Amino acid sequence: MPVADFSRVLVVGRSPVNRIVVSKIVERSGLKPIAEAPETAAAMLHSCLPGTVVLDGGPDNAECDALLPDIVAMRRRTGRLVPCVILLSTRNGMPDQAALSGVVDAVVAKPITPERLQPLIDQLIRRLHHRR
């Protein structure tokens, strides 16, 4: 059974600026970010087995949908809700898209700020450590 690396956070999005901003916030939580475009994220997901994935949904919350089946498969293999998934969204609240329901653990509305994202990352990581 694969073992997730809870110190790593896979940051996925088309915008290089958003990937950098989110990576800096992840580092403030003492974690190691791995920033990838949606097209290359699946290979990284399988090679580093991160404990958390941050998906930038883009304007329609669908920019990272191609990665969702890989995340679901990884959760099945680990037998837990790992990796945790945070969606960066243009809207507040949980997504109503069928592809995202049951996969996304938390949603952070844009614009992305450390005050919104960092406490959520810290909370999810604490929750993961308690489940081990």
Side-chain angles (χ1 to χ4, degrees):
M1 181 181 313
V3 177
D5 183 346
F6 294 100
S7 70
R8 295 186 180 266
V9 177
L10 180 59
V11 178
V12 185
R14 290 209 192 289
S15 166
V17 172
N18 284 355
R19 290 193 309 256
I20 290 169
V21 168
V22 172
S23 292
K24 295 293 182 192
I25 295 169
V26 166
E27 287 174 345
R28 288 174 61 169
S29 291
L31 302 169
K32 299 173 199 147
I34 304 160
E36 293 288 330
E39 299 77 24
T40 58
M44 190 56 66
L45 177 71
H46 293 289
S47 67
C48 74
L49 300 172
T52 304
V53 176
V54 179
L55 302 175
D56 183 349
D60 60 358
N61 285 341
E63 280 189 4
C64 298
D65 281 4
L67 189 59
L68 297 178
D70 292 297
I71 292 170
V72 169
M74 186 175 169
R75 284 179 165 192
R76 280 193 194 115
R77 281 194 309 275
T78 62
R80 302 186 330 193
L81 295 178
V82 176
C84 283
V85 178
I86 299 171
L87 175 68
L88 306 177
S89 175
T90 54
R91 299 184 286 284
N92 279 320
M94 289 302 279
D96 53 1
Q97 291 150 286
L100 296 173
S101 66
V103 178
V104 173
D105 298 297
V107 177
V108 175
K110 293 179 186 178
I112 306 159
T113 64
E115 295 78 24
R116 288 187 199 168
L117 184 56
Q118 188 173 354
L120 182 59
I121 291 172
D122 293 342
Q123 176 187 8
L124 288 173
I125 294 301
R126 276 194 308 274
R127 194 179 328 157
L128 283 174
H129 285 294
H130 289 322
R131 289 183 185 166
R132 282 203 235 181

